[in-house]
Amino acid sequence: MFKKDLKIAVIGGGSSYTPELIEGFIKRYNELPVKDLYLVDIEEGKEKLEIVGGLAKRMVGKAGVGINIHLTLDRREAIKDADFVVTQFRVGGIDARIRDEKIPLKYDVIGQETTGPGGFAKAQRTIPVILDVCKDIEELAPNAWLINFTNPSGVITETVLKHTNVKAIGLCNVPIGMVYGVAEMLEVDPKRVYIDFAGLNHLVWGTHIYLDGEDITEKLIDSFAGGKSLSMKNVPQLPWDPDFIKSLGMYPCPYHRYYYLTDQMLEKQKEEAATVGTRGEVVKKLEQELFELYKDPNLNIKPPQLEKRGGAYYSDAACSLICSIYNDKKDIHVVNVRNNGTIADLPDDVVIETNAIIDRNGAHPINIGHVPAKIRGLMQAVKAYEELTIEAGVKGDYYTALQALTIHPLVPSAMIAKKILDDIIEQNRDYLPQYK
Amino acid sequence: MFKKDLKIAVIGGGSSYTPELIEGFIKRYNELPVKDLYLVDIEEGKEKLEIVGGLAKRMVGKAGVGINIHLTLDRREAIKDADFVVTQFRVGGIDARIRDEKIPLKYDVIGQETTGPGGFAKAQRTIPVILDVCKDIEELAPNAWLINFTNPSGVITETVLKHTNVKAIGLCNVPIGMVYGVAEMLEVDPKRVYIDFAGLNHLVWGTHIYLDGEDITEKLIDSFAGGKSLSMKNVPQLPWDPDFIKSLGMYPCPYHRYYYLTDQMLEKQKEEAATVGTRGEVVKKLEQELFELYKDPNLNIKPPQLEKRGGAYYSDAACSLICSIYNDKKDIHVVNVRNNGTIADLPDDVVIETNAIIDRNGAHPINIGHVPAKIRGLMQAVKAYEELTIEAGVKGDYYTALQALTIHPLVPSAMIAKKILDDIIEQNRDYLPQYK
Amino acid sequence: MFKKDLKIAVIGGGSSYTPELIEGFIKRYNELPVKDLYLVDIEEGKEKLEIVGGLAKRMVGKAGVGINIHLTLDRREAIKDADFVVTQFRVGGIDARIRDEKIPLKYDVIGQETTGPGGFAKAQRTIPVILDVCKDIEELAPNAWLINFTNPSGVITETVLKHTNVKAIGLCNVPIGMVYGVAEMLEVDPKRVYIDFAGLNHLVWGTHIYLDGEDITEKLIDSFAGGKSLSMKNVPQLPWDPDFIKSLGMYPCPYHRYYYLTDQMLEKQKEEAATVGTRGEVVKKLEQELFELYKDPNLNIKPPQLEKRGGAYYSDAACSLICSIYNDKKDIHVVNVRNNGTIADLPDDVVIETNAIIDRNGAHPINIGHVPAKIRGLMQAVKAYEELTIEAGVKGDYYTALQALTIHPLVPSAMIAKKILDDIIEQNRDYLPQYK
Amino acid sequence: MFKKDLKIAVIGGGSSYTPELIEGFIKRYNELPVKDLYLVDIEEGKEKLEIVGGLAKRMVGKAGVGINIHLTLDRREAIKDADFVVTQFRVGGIDARIRDEKIPLKYDVIGQETTGPGGFAKAQRTIPVILDVCKDIEELAPNAWLINFTNPSGVITETVLKHTNVKAIGLCNVPIGMVYGVAEMLEVDPKRVYIDFAGLNHLVWGTHIYLDGEDITEKLIDSFAGGKSLSMKNVPQLPWDPDFIKSLGMYPCPYHRYYYLTDQMLEKQKEEAATVGTRGEVVKKLEQELFELYKDPNLNIKPPQLEKRGGAYYSDAACSLICSIYNDKKDIHVVNVRNNGTIADLPDDVVIETNAIIDRNGAHPINIGHVPAKIRGLMQAVKAYEELTIEAGVKGDYYTALQALTIHPLVPSAMIAKKILDDIIEQNRDYLPQYK
Ligand SMILES: [Mn+2]
Ligand SMILES: [Mn+2]
Ligand SMILES: [Mn+2]
Ligand SMILES: [Mn+2]
């Protein structure tokens, strides 16, 4: 990989997040010589692609780096001979997400983009598309690395690793957000903070936290109770109960609130849905505003308003990962990879979220072993749900889908699982070719 | 074990179930020569002990077998040199059970004797007592087998195996009830039915069902939907949804309803609590009626009314297990034993419910290996809860208890877990010496 | 399996062992209604087939049972719709075995039919044939049970389970021989003796020995030192050292001598080879004598001389296994089955030798868990050799074969492994189509 | 660990290797501020300690760094409040090593310092002493890191981790030697070479080799056959057979020759013993020469002759490890650590040799998962031997010792194991207090 002129394809290039990515590549241009950056989207996203593509070109121009931005609806052209393929597409767009949020709420169940039935629906829509993308990669760029950001990121990465030959690493900005959260709490440089992560995407625990190598987990516990610092824009910031946090003895991720504070989160969701709208509805407006901003021909940097969108550190996570692979850095990133015994309590072939050494040959997880019972059961329960979700999504099997939803910890019964499933299939019929 | 004159101690001998056990020993007297049967109880249970003890003596007298019934409040006298110790005591009696049922219901959570927070409370009360009983066994009858029926049976057996040197096997009448249920459905002799069981106590799945050795699981699936045959008196018989049962492809135990049909079961419980009373309240009346019957000096058989109580097949399960141990039978029973790798998805040192070969050296589980994802996650989640429940019960650690309840699949949040926990500790203060 | 008229195919029907089998079926005719027994052999074995087939017919005639003996060279006719297929063939016959014994001896390595390079050679010859037989079974009798006696029995059974869809159970008379050995030592009925077996075929340890259910392992240890009772005709009976046996604390199988007493066994083999001939040469003469006996038109029972041949209890092991399957007995046999986690220290997909419950659905191993370090390492080393032997035999891969032989504990170096391998390939070229 | 003034204790400070270590600390003084370096030895080693201590002082003086060299026979004084304790002592000295080499050779068994019965003897002598050292550390410097170089390094480290509370990491210069060997072969800077290591100390395989992140294992295979580069001074450099190396497909460590080329290595050893003497005898002379050199009051650098001694890269391995711990570097070293599931084919509680991230909290192995069958069996067999060796060494149990030696792959039989064991106990009676 001494080649100088990297080609990168971004599937879902018309996303409002793209300026994050562009900024990341610009910052790293010296060590990561991207020559051709293809932003790909589908017909329906053409307008957005052109807007965000325009901004990308202006950003690159202003920075004076030699990155050529290509805008295209031809995915195969973009993938051909790419060195990296970044996936950040959303099948069905923001409207599908809003439906994902609203269906479960009808049944008093958490309605969320990635967690619970909403994430299940998103997975079912996404699986056929990601498998198609992977077919293209297998044919046109068999040595490319797939960096997957498309949610539910762990589930989609596991689908790719189980059902294709594509080399894939899944990413999420939650772990890096947690590191920054601790740094903010302590008012120190994030580089001085290190966290042992263990779990699944959007269900990851910081099992130990270190400042300059000293284990400060216990000292920090009380600070988590306030929860002030855990600034995920996508998850309402209900405070953690001090006794609960002490008994957990770890740093839960923001999404854990859906599991540990289910009733309060549900109340919050229902209240928001009735007033400002679901998170999807809020984001829809934010995105429209962002695209208005992006259109401004004088804008040639990432606008600060993008941070409200929820993608903080996205560029750090993605570009820095690509950079470590390209430069064989052997530094540590938090990624979604094949378990392969890293967490002894989960099957070998599932995907986990964990600290890993990154080099030219991919992600090499740091061994974890057995995890404590207090986090083990929930992690295993959600993983079983994810495995069934993938199987259902690949086969389009109604019964497997019904089991997947029934055993999800946030779904209270088989009856409600069935009603939600039927609603999901009904409302997503254009996106679920496998359920025919 | 060629000795002829067996001594058996029954801890909680004043239970209304005792006539079941007496009947079982009488029936097997030829192959199981019980000479001394000690019924032990505590001061508070003296009256019941005398009533049920009187009946036991009349039953033995009528049967003309040489079993000497001893009634005592001196546990150590009963345990000394015993060959088998049967535990069927209930710490706090039926009133504590009723409280266990009512506390969770206050928070819209399933209130049940063994499943959920009710079972947690029962475990906390029982753990100090079973550890005391085991100290006596270690000292006075180190070679005795402990046959544990005290609920939650799996949790209590795991406590004994993890924290004492007593040889223990846990029992429950659910599996044998499921075999009889299938036999009834098919109108065949139960001996022709065989079921592969896998799971935990009160969370056991019949993964395959055989008639005369032929796998009839698939054929039977529809019949389960009606659910007619699964006659657990303790669990309301809500019907299973046909799609759900088809997608499960297995035979759920009656207690699975609390997990798979949570909302309907909760409605049912609330309705019953408001009308006929909780199951505990119903049982309290049934027990009073039973003890009235038992007093009748002309009664010298197990009265048929006992069946309503919910202990069907209890004598079959317990006496037949003791008989197989004593006679080195190497036949198959469904028992609660140390996992030791039998189910590859659970730790070695936990207790599972499984088919096992029984002989003089105890229970030798038939290997299971990995179980399907659709039952794996729930089983692992409940087991993690059980491990924490045992740890909390042994140490009296509030934080561990809080985690145990929080991660229980039927408890919707840490906040509710905390409220329930505080209520449990408050209402059971006389029985929880470890929480001081 | 309520059909009354069983069809059984014996591949390698012309074997001198066949009268054992016939005797076993005759004895069990009441509970095992064999109607058609096909003895199949290849062209080269036609004469023997006719001799032994004649005896079989006379035995059946004398016994007055309704078993029809069919002699055929048409394997497919024999397999078609069979209920059981018994494999006891030897590719290359006794002469190939003699070569297997002599090649390693040239290099001062144990030369044995099943253990070490001799067993490797036998496996390489046998694997292509057993895969062919299984193709026939898959096509012509997909529900048949394959009962494999062909050596190396564990390796051949693992080949079938890994590479075909045939339901197979591997058998060996060593474990039953060990039970009878203990019974003889104690002068008791073998039915009173029970042994926990754990290990691999021809590398199985009796980890605990019971008399009437009482663990007598420790008491017996000294008796093993003499080794008098372990009457395997195929293995020279060098005595065990008392200190070694005490330190092992278990009952080694006769074949363990090749590993634990390697130098003495090698001396013994070299001495025998130079005088009476290798075991194969001795057996060749025995077989010729047996076939002379078999020709006697007045002989209509199994001749007692057959016992010297080394197949003691063969009929017990095979016919009693078939009988337990047919009658859904759920009794315990020692068999070669897929590990599936039974021994926690070996992969799931390998074959082990273990106690198992036998019923209409096959063999269900009794769980073992982890084994002690003192037997673990050797068992794992030999299993790794076996896995490579199978892979080499299926693919015909020289390099894999070289690794298989190199890591065999009895082969002292890669150089000698290579020489032996080259000799084996050279001397077996007609039987190794896969090495082209 | 922001303290500036590090205290380091070197147990066995009078070793001829010590100048390596001094050089390492001098080179790293800027990032590793060692203030007090205690060289400890026992009464018998006083003279050597003074010689080497004198050289150490001159080296430090010449370098002008602020390291105070302390020479002492008081181990407790040295350990008290130490930050790091480095163990490089040899119980019984070089004469005991020579006996370790000669005893097995009497029985035609490999006689080697760390591999086979020689390593077993060394372990038995060392275990009581290392446990004593650890008692001192537990009492006087509970936060100290023990960096163990004392051989057999893996076995001694496992002893410490299983039987004490000391934080320990085991080291060996073989892996770094293999990296340098490849670099030499390719004529590149060693920093460009990276190897995935998996196995046990002195039984470690380079499973993949990378140059600048590109996997070059296959390309390199032929080069290993010549074996030119694998410059372990302690191991005769017999060439590898090209077919063997191709079939292995990995990079064996120099000590693998004892297993893969046993007969040739034995011949070589016997020939050397009869001519130049065993390696121990050669080393004894080299050491005497070295100590003569060390005495030279004008010598104030590490003399180049030390390299012949076999300790190449020793200083790199040890000082760089200490430096990474102190500076929380999170770089990768090859170390001996608790397995904890890193290699899925070995128990959790054993020590393996593997790549690990090093930081202030110790060594965090990079996950390996299952290893291929071709290396698995040998690794498991040797590990089982090691586990028994440790158990025997801690308990002083003759029977466990006999099993340990019997199952060692290089010991041909239980009889020879017993003779060697009796010889070892007889000839080491002053050093084996546990075998009383
Ligand atoms: Mn995410
Ligand atoms: Mn029960
Ligand atoms: Mn055999
Ligand atoms: Mn070393």
Side-chain angles (χ1 to χ4, degrees), chain C residues 114 149 151 153 171-175 201-202 232 255 353:
Chain C
T114 59
F149 251 104
N151 270 328
S153 181
L171 263 189
C172 173
N173 59 351
V174 161
N201 180 240
H202 291 194
M232 285 301 298
Y255 288 84
E353 193 161 284

Side-chain angles (χ1 to χ4, degrees), chain A residues 142-217:
Chain A
N143 294 319
W145 279 100
L146 172 61
I147 309 298
N148 178 59
F149 252 103
T150 289
N151 271 325
S153 181
V155 166
I156 298 309
T157 306
E158 186 168 319
T159 303
V160 171
L161 294 180
K162 279 181 168 170
H163 295 282
T164 82
N165 295 313
V166 171
K167 301 184 294 181
I169 297 176
L171 264 188
C172 174
N173 60 350
V174 161
I176 194 172
M178 290 168 73
V179 169
Y180 277 71
V182 168
E184 205 175 292
M185 223 188 260
L186 300 173
E187 300 179 357
V188 301
D189 184 331
K191 279 175 198 146
R192 296 175 55 196
V193 174
Y194 182 78
I195 301 181
D196 291 336
F197 286 102
L200 313 181
N201 179 239
H202 289 194
L203 191 82
V204 73
W205 288 267
T207 58
H208 294 93
I209 305 168
Y210 307 90
L211 178 65
D212 300 323
E214 189 194 351
D215 188 335
I216 56 168
T217 320

Side-chain angles (χ1 to χ4, degrees), chain D residues 234-249:
Chain D
N234 279 322
V235 182
Q237 296 195 47
L238 297 184
W240 295 103
D241 175 70
D243 278 328
F244 169 71
I245 283 290
K246 260 192 198 118
S247 69
L248 181 61

Side-chain angles (χ1 to χ4, degrees), chain D residues 114 149 151 153 171-175 201-202 232 255 353:
Chain D
T114 60
F149 251 104
N151 269 327
S153 182
L171 263 188
C172 173
N173 60 351
V174 162
N201 180 240
H202 291 195
M232 286 301 297
Y255 288 85
E353 193 161 283

Side-chain angles (χ1 to χ4, degrees), chain A residues 33 76 81 108 131 139 143 152 203 213 237 269 290 297 323 379-380 386 406 421:
Chain A
R76 292 175 56 86
D81 298 327
D108 269 351
L131 292 179
E139 180 193 339
N143 294 319
L203 191 82
Q237 297 195 45
Q269 285 196 332
L290 279 173
C323 194
M379 188 181 73
Q380 291 172 322
E386 290 186 355
T406 298
L421 175 59

Side-chain angles (χ1 to χ4, degrees), chain B residues 272-322:
Chain B
E272 287 184 351
T275 54
V276 295
T278 67
R279 177 70 193 161
E281 290 171 312
V282 171
V283 161
K284 188 172 181 177
K285 278 179 228 148
L286 283 172
E287 292 227 327
Q288 283 160 348
E289 291 164 23
L290 278 173
F291 277 97
E292 283 311 305
L293 283 174
Y294 291 178
K295 282 178 188 168
D296 177 358
N298 297 315
L299 181 74
N300 55 14
I301 56 161
K302 186 188 75 177
Q305 293 91 332
L306 177 49
E307 276 198 16
K308 278 197 217 149
R309 173 66 186 81
Y313 322 121
Y314 168 49
S315 109
D316 267 341
C319 300
S320 139
L321 177 70
I322 291 173

Side-chain angles (χ1 to χ4, degrees), chain A residues 15-24 27-28 88 90 97 113 149 151 171-178 180 202 231-235 255 279 283 286-287 290 294 302-319:
Chain A
S15 157
S16 62
Y17 284 141
T18 295
E20 275 274 354
L21 210 55
I22 303 297
E23 187 191 56
K27 272 204 296 192
R28 286 168 181 81
Q88 56 175 30
R90 300 160 172 274
R97 170 179 175 174
E113 186 190 15
F149 252 103
N151 271 325
L171 264 188
C172 174
N173 60 350
V174 161
I176 194 172
M178 290 168 73
Y180 277 71
H202 289 194
S231 51
M232 285 301 297
K233 291 289 181 289
N234 279 322
V235 181
Y255 287 85
R279 177 70 192 162
V283 162
L286 283 172
E287 293 228 326
L290 279 173
Y294 291 178
K302 185 187 78 176
Q305 294 91 332
L306 178 49
E307 276 200 15
K308 279 198 218 149
R309 172 66 185 81
Y313 322 121
Y314 169 50
S315 108
D316 266 341
C319 299

